[in-house]
Amino acid sequence: MLRVGDMDAALLNLDCLFMAFDARQYNKTAVSTVRGIALYHYLNGRLRSAHALLTGQAARGVSPNAPHVPFEDPLNLDMLYALEQAGFPPISRYPLALIVKKLKEGTNRQLRGAALRIEALRLRDRGGDPKREQTLLRESLDCISGTGDRREEALSANELANVLERTGDAASAAALRDQAEACAGFRVDRSVSYQQMVLLLTRHSQGNRLPALGDGHYDCPQDSCVERCHRAFNAFSNETCLTSALHRLVAIAQKELKSERGALFRRDEDNRLACVAAVNLTDMELKSEQMRPCLEWLDGFSDRPAAPGRGEQGLCLPLDIGESGLWLLYLDSTFTDGPFAHLHQPELHTLSYLFASEVRSALRLKKVRDEESRHQKERFQSVVLQEDRNIAPLFGTGLGELLEQVRHVSVTDAPVLILGETGVGKEVMARQIHLMSRRSGPFIAVHPASTPEHLFESEFFGHERGAFTGAIKQKLGFFEMADEGTLFIDEVGDIPPAIQTKLLRVLQEQRFIRVGGTREIYSSFRLITATNKNLWQEVQEGRFREDLLYRISVVPLMLPPLRERRQDIIPLVQNFMEHFCRRYNQLPFALNQEETAVLRSYDWPGNIRELKNVIERAVILNRLPALNVPHSPPHRKTSEETPNRRGFVVDDIPTLDELERRYLEYIFNIASGCVYGEKGMTELLNLKRSTLYTKLKKHGIMLR
């Protein structure tokens, strides 16, 4: 009777049974009857009453020691899952995880399918793997399809369709949605939650109204405040930032309950109310004398569970968040008398459960993301800093002063600009700053040169589903993924001027809007950029915005090239050699004095990247007892074979004529006295032949 929605007949039979058994006899009939009455309350939207009956607090003599009665209907699983989802304390007599595990191992296909579905839903609530969730729901649908239970088939098919939509398989999701609607007998709205779907299937004969999941005899009208809040939350189901999620929650409450302002409070370590999110309420207003009576009123909501309250100060919805304690959602309207009079007490209870569930979901997601970030950091430390020990000399004796600056900068949130030639290890230095910081989020490395200009906004800001052709699902941008972490933009000087303008605001305020979206998103990322260009010269030539340069270069760090820290060359060689010998399963080699001298004398225009490639090639091709390092790459000369290109620099202060004479002699030696040709003096100096002859004659430089 409960399954088909005949509530009156079901209640009549349950009352007859309840009065028939002896309260002193804890038999199976008594337990089943109490469970049936709890199910009746659940299907009528009274979760608190159902929970009290199941815990034995209102079971009229049915103690927790009564005999066990096996589950015979999936509705009982849906009820236990609804209680868990709403945040009620666990019921010792009905441990949901153990019940699901037992039913999965049983022979009843109907109950096994329902248990697999509940397991998938609990996995989703914990932020688990969508692929695992999809597998469980497919197994659930396979079990139920052969039983003829169209209600359970509709539930499993609809939830599987939701998972496939989130993963981008729209075609399969549409087919499953049609299957769910055929089994249910009515059109299934995508915004309907699982619990609403359960109640709609049970009460379909009553006009498909969405029942409220709260206490009291209250059925939610089609356009009620509860339903509007449901739709608003479903529209933003993929919120990733905790701060943004809590602010969105307050904004939805302020809008749908038609209040002027709102705030969300929780108690800090000193048991004082602390504001975690606010709409139309500034910090100054919260600390003002006008708010003191209101805060004192809110401070009185300390008991758990606490009932919603209305007063002269406004409206307070207590949110029981479990381990996080009691949170308070406050709303008021200073220019309207009795703004919340239209809200009934049962509806307020329902809203409290709804908002509490959203806060718990946001906290669970934050916990999952923090755990993932911690694992990512540990993986990076083990893989890069331990296994690939070859990067250790990058931070050797040649960078002593720079590393001291890095230690001071890492603990701040100041933007860092890393300057240096190609191959000096700018990204490795950025990772080191991230690891030395106290940020819990991930390290996101971005290379703008590899991003097409027409896809830049989508890649950096993200996009909403349907924002443009091909946007079949929501996509998170680099700024959003780097929340609470570090965003590293390599070769920032290669960003086109048209794109630079779009970065100004987000880098300054850390707020942005996805492509096709309407809601502003906040991301607490730390910015690190790198370039091998002279950005100040780029500004003068009009290729880089001056205001953008000031925003990214709060702390500039200059990584010197390898030729300016030759003391690090041999330690780098030794570490690279050990690394590649382990990789290619070769015995370590020794360097002789000649090879060491060659390595030290070479200028390494490709810096550490070139050195690493040379050592890898030498290890691969080596067949001798000692490492046979090539003297130089093809078509390159060592500093011993050619004059140093910096050799004309002098320690004294010569006159301009004397400096010109020395420079001409320097070029004369490089060109070996040759005037014409590819490497001749005219080409190197970019001078006409007649002008060159005049200058050589002036300074007494004779051609050979």
PDB file of all heavy atoms in Angstrom, residues 514-529:
ATOM      1  N   ARG A 514      32.987  32.099 -15.946  1.00  0.00           N
ATOM      2  CA  ARG A 514      33.186  31.120 -17.014  1.00  0.00           C
ATOM      3  C   ARG A 514      32.541  31.622 -18.314  1.00  0.00           C
ATOM      4  O   ARG A 514      31.593  32.405 -18.286  1.00  0.00           O
ATOM      5  CB  ARG A 514      32.592  29.766 -16.643  1.00  0.00           C
ATOM      6  CG  ARG A 514      33.180  29.113 -15.401  1.00  0.00           C
ATOM      7  CD  ARG A 514      32.738  27.656 -15.329  1.00  0.00           C
ATOM      8  NE  ARG A 514      33.080  27.045 -14.038  1.00  0.00           N
ATOM      9  CZ  ARG A 514      32.200  26.782 -13.106  1.00  0.00           C
ATOM     10  NH1 ARG A 514      30.927  27.060 -13.303  1.00  0.00           N
ATOM     11  NH2 ARG A 514      32.579  26.221 -11.955  1.00  0.00           N
ATOM     12  N   VAL A 515      33.072  31.146 -19.437  1.00  0.00           N
ATOM     13  CA  VAL A 515      32.483  31.465 -20.726  1.00  0.00           C
ATOM     14  C   VAL A 515      31.063  30.900 -20.774  1.00  0.00           C
ATOM     15  O   VAL A 515      30.844  29.710 -20.549  1.00  0.00           O
ATOM     16  CB  VAL A 515      33.332  30.886 -21.874  1.00  0.00           C
ATOM     17  CG1 VAL A 515      32.681  31.186 -23.213  1.00  0.00           C
ATOM     18  CG2 VAL A 515      34.738  31.447 -21.830  1.00  0.00           C
ATOM     19  N   GLY A 516      30.111  31.758 -21.061  1.00  0.00           N
ATOM     20  CA  GLY A 516      28.719  31.346 -21.079  1.00  0.00           C
ATOM     21  C   GLY A 516      28.055  31.339 -19.716  1.00  0.00           C
ATOM     22  O   GLY A 516      26.875  30.992 -19.604  1.00  0.00           O
ATOM     23  N   GLY A 517      28.774  31.729 -18.661  1.00  0.00           N
ATOM     24  CA  GLY A 517      28.222  31.731 -17.311  1.00  0.00           C
ATOM     25  C   GLY A 517      27.749  33.117 -16.912  1.00  0.00           C
ATOM     26  O   GLY A 517      28.001  34.117 -17.580  1.00  0.00           O
ATOM     27  N   THR A 518      27.080  33.179 -15.784  1.00  0.00           N
ATOM     28  CA  THR A 518      26.571  34.440 -15.245  1.00  0.00           C
ATOM     29  C   THR A 518      27.032  34.694 -13.820  1.00  0.00           C
ATOM     30  O   THR A 518      26.807  35.773 -13.289  1.00  0.00           O
ATOM     31  CB  THR A 518      25.035  34.455 -15.271  1.00  0.00           C
ATOM     32  OG1 THR A 518      24.533  33.320 -14.511  1.00  0.00           O
ATOM     33  CG2 THR A 518      24.519  34.359 -16.701  1.00  0.00           C
ATOM     34  N   ARG A 519      27.658  33.712 -13.215  1.00  0.00           N
ATOM     35  CA  ARG A 519      28.049  33.812 -11.803  1.00  0.00           C
ATOM     36  C   ARG A 519      29.545  34.037 -11.683  1.00  0.00           C
ATOM     37  O   ARG A 519      30.349  33.389 -12.346  1.00  0.00           O
ATOM     38  CB  ARG A 519      27.644  32.537 -11.062  1.00  0.00           C
ATOM     39  CG  ARG A 519      27.992  32.528  -9.592  1.00  0.00           C
ATOM     40  CD  ARG A 519      27.461  31.255  -8.964  1.00  0.00           C
ATOM     41  NE  ARG A 519      27.942  30.089  -9.652  1.00  0.00           N
ATOM     42  CZ  ARG A 519      29.106  29.497  -9.363  1.00  0.00           C
ATOM     43  NH1 ARG A 519      29.863  29.971  -8.410  1.00  0.00           N
ATOM     44  NH2 ARG A 519      29.479  28.417 -10.037  1.00  0.00           N
ATOM     45  N   GLU A 520      29.919  34.982 -10.822  1.00  0.00           N
ATOM     46  CA  GLU A 520      31.314  35.282 -10.580  1.00  0.00           C
ATOM     47  C   GLU A 520      31.919  34.242  -9.644  1.00  0.00           C
ATOM     48  O   GLU A 520      31.329  33.888  -8.623  1.00  0.00           O
ATOM     49  CB  GLU A 520      31.455  36.687  -9.990  1.00  0.00           C
ATOM     50  CG  GLU A 520      32.861  37.239 -10.037  1.00  0.00           C
ATOM     51  CD  GLU A 520      32.945  38.671  -9.598  1.00  0.00           C
ATOM     52  OE1 GLU A 520      32.520  38.973  -8.464  1.00  0.00           O
ATOM     53  OE2 GLU A 520      33.415  39.504 -10.386  1.00  0.00           O
ATOM     54  N   ILE A 521      33.101  33.758  -9.980  1.00  0.00           N
ATOM     55  CA  ILE A 521      33.778  32.704  -9.225  1.00  0.00           C
ATOM     56  C   ILE A 521      35.059  33.279  -8.626  1.00  0.00           C
ATOM     57  O   ILE A 521      35.799  34.003  -9.299  1.00  0.00           O
ATOM     58  CB  ILE A 521      34.099  31.495 -10.125  1.00  0.00           C
ATOM     59  CG1 ILE A 521      32.812  30.896 -10.696  1.00  0.00           C
ATOM     60  CG2 ILE A 521      34.868  30.432  -9.355  1.00  0.00           C
ATOM     61  CD1 ILE A 521      33.048  29.826 -11.730  1.00  0.00           C
ATOM     62  N   TYR A 522      35.309  32.944  -7.381  1.00  0.00           N
ATOM     63  CA  TYR A 522      36.530  33.363  -6.697  1.00  0.00           C
ATOM     64  C   TYR A 522      37.490  32.181  -6.598  1.00  0.00           C
ATOM     65  O   TYR A 522      37.090  31.077  -6.236  1.00  0.00           O
ATOM     66  CB  TYR A 522      36.210  33.899  -5.305  1.00  0.00           C
ATOM     67  CG  TYR A 522      37.443  34.204  -4.473  1.00  0.00           C
ATOM     68  CD1 TYR A 522      38.184  35.364  -4.691  1.00  0.00           C
ATOM     69  CD2 TYR A 522      37.872  33.317  -3.486  1.00  0.00           C
ATOM     70  CE1 TYR A 522      39.317  35.634  -3.942  1.00  0.00           C
ATOM     71  CE2 TYR A 522      38.999  33.587  -2.726  1.00  0.00           C
ATOM     72  CZ  TYR A 522      39.715  34.750  -2.955  1.00  0.00           C
ATOM     73  OH  TYR A 522      40.845  35.004  -2.220  1.00  0.00           O
ATOM     74  N   SER A 523      38.756  32.417  -6.907  1.00  0.00           N
ATOM     75  CA  SER A 523      39.788  31.381  -6.828  1.00  0.00           C
ATOM     76  C   SER A 523      40.999  31.952  -6.107  1.00  0.00           C
ATOM     77  O   SER A 523      41.577  32.946  -6.539  1.00  0.00           O
ATOM     78  CB  SER A 523      40.187  30.884  -8.217  1.00  0.00           C
ATOM     79  OG  SER A 523      41.228  29.920  -8.135  1.00  0.00           O
ATOM     80  N   SER A 524      41.383  31.335  -5.016  1.00  0.00           N
ATOM     81  CA  SER A 524      42.512  31.798  -4.214  1.00  0.00           C
ATOM     82  C   SER A 524      43.800  31.132  -4.693  1.00  0.00           C
ATOM     83  O   SER A 524      44.365  30.267  -4.026  1.00  0.00           O
ATOM     84  CB  SER A 524      42.264  31.498  -2.726  1.00  0.00           C
ATOM     85  OG  SER A 524      43.358  31.912  -1.928  1.00  0.00           O
ATOM     86  N   PHE A 525      44.285  31.530  -5.863  1.00  0.00           N
ATOM     87  CA  PHE A 525      45.505  30.953  -6.408  1.00  0.00           C
ATOM     88  C   PHE A 525      46.683  31.894  -6.191  1.00  0.00           C
ATOM     89  O   PHE A 525      46.524  33.106  -6.065  1.00  0.00           O
ATOM     90  CB  PHE A 525      45.339  30.654  -7.908  1.00  0.00           C
ATOM     91  CG  PHE A 525      45.062  31.850  -8.762  1.00  0.00           C
ATOM     92  CD1 PHE A 525      46.092  32.612  -9.290  1.00  0.00           C
ATOM     93  CD2 PHE A 525      43.761  32.218  -9.059  1.00  0.00           C
ATOM     94  CE1 PHE A 525      45.834  33.722 -10.066  1.00  0.00           C
ATOM     95  CE2 PHE A 525      43.496  33.329  -9.841  1.00  0.00           C
ATOM     96  CZ  PHE A 525      44.530  34.083 -10.333  1.00  0.00           C
ATOM     97  N   ARG A 526      47.874  31.326  -6.158  1.00  0.00           N
ATOM     98  CA  ARG A 526      49.116  32.091  -6.100  1.00  0.00           C
ATOM     99  C   ARG A 526      49.732  32.071  -7.497  1.00  0.00           C
ATOM    100  O   ARG A 526      49.892  31.013  -8.102  1.00  0.00           O
ATOM    101  CB  ARG A 526      50.068  31.442  -5.081  1.00  0.00           C
ATOM    102  CG  ARG A 526      51.182  32.399  -4.644  1.00  0.00           C
ATOM    103  CD  ARG A 526      52.447  32.187  -5.287  1.00  0.00           C
ATOM    104  NE  ARG A 526      53.510  33.060  -4.793  1.00  0.00           N
ATOM    105  CZ  ARG A 526      54.256  32.867  -3.722  1.00  0.00           C
ATOM    106  NH1 ARG A 526      54.081  31.775  -3.004  1.00  0.00           N
ATOM    107  NH2 ARG A 526      55.217  33.735  -3.407  1.00  0.00           N
ATOM    108  N   LEU A 527      50.095  33.250  -7.997  1.00  0.00           N
ATOM    109  CA  LEU A 527      50.561  33.398  -9.369  1.00  0.00           C
ATOM    110  C   LEU A 527      52.084  33.420  -9.434  1.00  0.00           C
ATOM    111  O   LEU A 527      52.737  34.188  -8.713  1.00  0.00           O
ATOM    112  CB  LEU A 527      49.998  34.669  -9.993  1.00  0.00           C
ATOM    113  CG  LEU A 527      50.445  34.956 -11.437  1.00  0.00           C
ATOM    114  CD1 LEU A 527      49.873  33.911 -12.382  1.00  0.00           C
ATOM    115  CD2 LEU A 527      50.031  36.351 -11.859  1.00  0.00           C
ATOM    116  N   ILE A 528      52.639  32.565 -10.304  1.00  0.00           N
ATOM    117  CA  ILE A 528      54.062  32.582 -10.637  1.00  0.00           C
ATOM    118  C   ILE A 528      54.168  32.580 -12.158  1.00  0.00           C
ATOM    119  O   ILE A 528      53.549  31.750 -12.826  1.00  0.00           O
ATOM    120  CB  ILE A 528      54.814  31.374 -10.050  1.00  0.00           C
ATOM    121  CG1 ILE A 528      54.674  31.333  -8.521  1.00  0.00           C
ATOM    122  CG2 ILE A 528      56.285  31.418 -10.428  1.00  0.00           C
ATOM    123  CD1 ILE A 528      55.370  30.139  -7.883  1.00  0.00           C
ATOM    124  N   THR A 529      54.935  33.510 -12.700  1.00  0.00           N
ATOM    125  CA  THR A 529      55.146  33.582 -14.136  1.00  0.00           C
ATOM    126  C   THR A 529      56.631  33.466 -14.440  1.00  0.00           C
ATOM    127  O   THR A 529      57.478  33.644 -13.566  1.00  0.00           O
ATOM    128  CB  THR A 529      54.596  34.902 -14.717  1.00  0.00           C
ATOM    129  OG1 THR A 529      55.183  36.003 -13.994  1.00  0.00           O
ATOM    130  CG2 THR A 529      53.082  34.956 -14.575  1.00  0.00           C
TER     131      THR A 529
END
